[in-house]
Amino acid sequence: MSWVADGIDSRESEVVQELLYIAVTNRSVVSSIIALDWLQDEVTDLEAEAVENLSYLSQKNEGQASRIVAMPFLETLDPPDVSALASLVDMSWFRQADFQRVLSHPTLNAGITDDWTKIVATLYGVSDTNPALIDTLLNPEQVSIEERTIVLPIAGETLLTIIRTGPGAERSMDLLEHSVRRVEEFIGLEFPNRYVGWLVGEAVTPTFGGNNFGTHIATLPEYDVDDSSNSAELAGHLVAHEVAHYYWLGNSNWLDEGAADLMASVSENSRTSRPVEATNNPCGYLRTIAELEALEVTNEEGADSAFICNYALGERLFLDLYRNLGEDSFREGLRDLYILSLTVQEDDTEDDSKIGIEHVKTAFKSGDQITDSLVDVIVSRWYDDAQPYDASTRDITPPDPRFLTINGRINTAYLAATEEGTLLTSISADAVDDWLWLFLRWDKNVGSDTEVPLEFVYYYEDGFAFKRSSVTFTAYGYSTGNSWWLQVGQSPDNPWAVGNYELHVYNEGRKLVELEYEVTE
């Protein structure tokens, strides 16, 4: 072979080693692999990954490995083919019954073809979350595939695919493309995959909205919509978060989830102009990353467990670095952190291949004394609570109750624990089992009917705005005022963090109301 005859580089050496592993148990598989046309010339990263996956398959099931090597989808090698191989590897090792079920399915009797690699690539994730969906996905009458090829500035040609078993939104492919482009642009490094498959279906970790399985991303069908629903509003962030996981995967959970959420917020900012701010409620289970690490909670426990704190605390650490270091310095640090993660994961001599808090310090320190000291303060704030919160970016302008859109004003505003309840300034976290209620009474002079938009912004004592919502009401010309009871606060699905909160009410950018309340133990 030419790539052997001209000398062996490190990548080629790894390929030879994998072939030797296979030859120990199945020399015929090695012969079949060596005969593949795409392995005759130079060895690319994609081809090396394919050989590695075939080695894992052969180690677990040499009979099926022989069959798979001869399948049509491996006659030429494209990025979806390698994702399909990776899915088969995981099924063979961890979901053997479904592995055999897939390979014996009537649809694949003649072997896996290029037309089916995108589906096969999803099947380990589906097997792990909803095995009943496998037969649906392998039924050509029940599944549809939407494709788009894009050219990224750094990575080049990349294939995007959406796999559905029902109707979907036309804009979803645009959301996927925007996310892939923006996360590569922001980190400034080659997008790690040349194929991004998005499975829309009930095949994600329970209580989560989406997952990145490495072979593909998946979201619940409710996010593949384009309507006025809350899910439609969240879809862009969710897709960008899962796309960002192609960079952030296999490290400490709080780091992967926090970095992915930060990059998703940056992506959505460029699409919708939504501020780059916290998107997760404050952690109601614990206060620091160190406490979270001690728990060793996993994503199998779901979003209604302390695992959700990986998002809340990780996101806030990276947001704090982002707002204090500035975008340029932050991007440089994030880029260095990603490169460091690749180095650590590939280094077999490391005792722990997961990068964590010390790696964050290393990546974001610039050698400048002021910057280095600032990084230490920020990291300590979120890791072990040794530094106070920084609330300097909170909106401290005094409220002005006058409306801009009507000749009127808010004359009464307060929070209550229940609808029609009395003034609340403090409530126990144990007693909060539902939304809070906001009472607003407004007065106006008689005029024409007018639509009045209101925006609600929620702050926690850590200084971050963590939630925004809006509502529009009609001020009728025949009325001189009205009163409203509105559900506010955070979802009761997760416990409230103990501490001080603020609710700001805005009309067209002007703060009308500022209410403070405390959540106690």
Side-chain angles (χ1 to χ4, degrees):
M1 298 177 118
S2 60
W3 58 268
V4 177
D6 65 5
I8 301 288
D9 62 24
S10 59
R11 179 170 54 202
E12 293 165 346
S13 177
E14 291 172 2
V15 169
V16 171
Q17 187 64 58
E18 296 297 345
L19 293 172
L20 288 171
Y21 289 148
I22 301 171
V24 170
T25 57
N26 198 327
R27 297 175 68 90
S28 64
V29 173
V30 173
S31 298
S32 298
I33 294 172
I34 291 174
L36 292 168
D37 287 344
W38 46 264
L39 201 58
Q40 301 308 305
D41 305 326
E42 62 179 339
V43 178
T44 66
D45 287 338
L46 194 69
E47 292 163 354
E49 186 177 353
V51 173
E52 181 180 32
N53 282 325
L54 290 170
S55 174
Y56 289 142
L57 273 172
S58 183
Q59 292 171 44
K60 189 64 178 178
N61 192 318
E62 63 180 78
Q64 290 291 17
S66 297
R67 181 185 169 208
I68 289 168
V69 172
M71 287 184 178
F73 81 107
L74 289 181
E75 291 176 1
T76 59
L77 195 67
D78 298 306
D81 303 335
V82 177
S83 294
L85 272 177
S87 178
L88 291 169
V89 167
D90 286 338
M91 275 194 291
S92 71
W93 280 83
F94 307 113
R95 308 284 299 186
Q96 180 64 213
D98 284 333
F99 174 70
Q100 299 294 346
R101 173 185 166 198
V102 167
L103 291 181
S104 62
H105 196 280
T107 297
L108 305 179
N109 270 341
I112 300 168
T113 64
D114 285 336
D115 291 337
W116 284 98
T117 53
K118 292 105 178 165
I119 302 296
V120 172
T122 71
L123 295 185
Y124 171 68
V126 172
S127 170
D128 193 47
T129 56
N130 184 10
L133 191 60
I134 290 176
D135 287 333
T136 301
L137 288 169
L138 289 175
N139 185 338
E141 295 182 358
Q142 292 184 273
V143 69
S144 67
I145 297 180
E146 179 185 357
E147 294 186 349
R148 179 182 294 177
T149 299
I150 64 174
V151 179
L152 296 174
I154 305 175
E157 187 173 291
T158 302
L159 176 63
L160 310 181
T161 297
I162 302 180
I163 302 160
R164 299 182 174 97
T165 58
E170 184 178 347
R171 71 156 187 168
S172 291
M173 182 60 82
D174 292 334
L175 291 180
L176 182 59
E177 178 177 349
H178 173 82
S179 299
V180 172
R181 288 187 179 280
R182 185 63 179 116
V183 298
E184 185 194 68
E185 177 190 21
F186 184 75
I187 200 168
L189 293 169
E190 178 180 354
F191 193 81
N193 285 46
R194 299 298 174 273
Y195 169 67
V196 180
W198 173 8
L199 173 64
V200 177
E202 301 285 343
V204 303
T205 301
T207 72
F208 282 85
N211 287 108
N212 185 313
F213 291 96
T215 52
H216 68 289
I217 68 172
T219 71
L220 297 174
E222 65 194 71
Y223 296 100
D224 185 21
V225 295
D226 188 7
D227 52 28
S228 58
S229 66
N230 186 54
S231 294
E233 183 180 348
L234 295 175
H237 184 94
L238 176 61
V239 171
H241 174 96
E242 300 306 340
V243 165
H245 271 312
Y246 280 106
Y247 289 95
W248 305 106
L249 201 63
N251 308 299
S252 299
N253 286 325
W254 59 264
L255 190 151
D256 285 338
E257 301 302 347
D261 254 343
L262 183 281
M263 290 178 72
S265 292
V266 168
S267 176
E268 283 297 274
N269 170 261
S270 65
R271 188 178 71 87
T272 67
S273 298
R274 180 186 174 93
V276 179
E277 60 190 8
T279 57
N280 297 281
N281 295 330
C283 175
Y285 293 92
L286 38 83
R287 195 173 178 91
T288 68
I289 293 172
E291 294 173 290
L292 181 60
E293 289 181 335
L295 279 183
E296 297 183 349
V297 63
T298 66
N299 63 351
E300 283 79 10
E301 297 179 53
D304 54 358
S305 72
F307 185 84
I308 199 69
C309 295
N310 285 293
Y311 298 80
L313 294 172
E315 176 186 51
R316 282 163 170 77
L317 168 62
F318 286 110
L319 278 170
D320 212 343
L321 290 166
Y322 177 82
R323 70 181 180 180
N324 279 288
L325 298 182
E327 181 167 307
D328 290 344
S329 294
F330 177 84
R331 290 175 64 187
E332 183 178 349
L334 192 67
R335 190 178 306 123
D336 289 344
L337 184 62
Y338 174 65
I339 294 170
L340 189 56
S341 74
L342 296 179
T343 303
V344 170
Q345 289 176 19
E346 292 173 358
D347 187 355
D348 294 336
T349 64
E350 286 279 345
D351 293 333
D352 187 354
S353 62
K354 291 185 177 181
I355 64 171
I357 202 68
E358 292 303 321
H359 300 92
V360 172
K361 289 182 182 179
T362 299
F364 282 93
K365 287 184 176 181
S366 65
D368 177 88
Q369 186 174 355
I370 296 176
T371 300
D372 290 358
S373 176
L374 180 58
V375 169
D376 284 334
V377 168
I378 293 170
V379 167
S380 181
R381 179 180 295 145
W382 298 104
Y383 189 74
D384 54 21
D385 199 24
Q387 295 291 335
Y389 289 135
D390 173 15
S392 61
T393 60
R394 181 176 56 85
D395 181 4
I396 59 173
T397 58
D400 182 344
R402 295 173 299 166
F403 283 110
L404 294 177
T405 47
I406 59 176
N407 185 14
R409 61 186 288 125
I410 298 285
N411 62 30
T412 306
Y414 65 85
L415 290 168
T418 60
E419 188 175 9
E420 307 291 344
T422 57
L423 172 69
L424 172 152
T425 57
S426 179
I427 190 170
S428 167
D430 293 336
V432 184
D433 56 3
D434 204 345
W435 298 88
L436 298 181
W437 289 86
L438 170 65
F439 177 77
L440 291 177
R441 184 188 301 280
W442 55 274
D443 296 325
K444 68 176 284 292
N445 294 330
V446 176
S448 59
D449 293 357
T450 305
E451 296 294 302
V452 181
L454 295 179
E455 181 184 31
F456 305 104
V457 181
Y458 301 82
Y459 285 93
Y460 182 54
E461 65 183 24
D462 60 15
F464 287 111
F466 64 90
K467 180 181 177 183
R468 292 176 183 265
S469 58
S470 59
V471 66
T472 299
F473 71 89
T474 302
Y476 294 103
Y478 60 80
S479 172
T480 58
N482 204 345
S483 60
W484 271 23
W485 282 97
L486 301 168
Q487 277 190 323
V488 295
Q490 67 186 51
S491 168
D493 293 342
N494 296 109
W496 285 60
V498 171
N500 297 308
Y501 293 77
E502 291 182 10
L503 169 60
H504 297 183
V505 181
Y506 294 86
N507 170 237
E508 296 189 347
R510 174 190 279 179
K511 188 197 297 184
L512 304 179
V513 174
E514 180 179 314
L515 299 173
E516 298 180 4
Y517 55 104
E518 180 185 17
V519 176
T520 61
E521 294 182 353

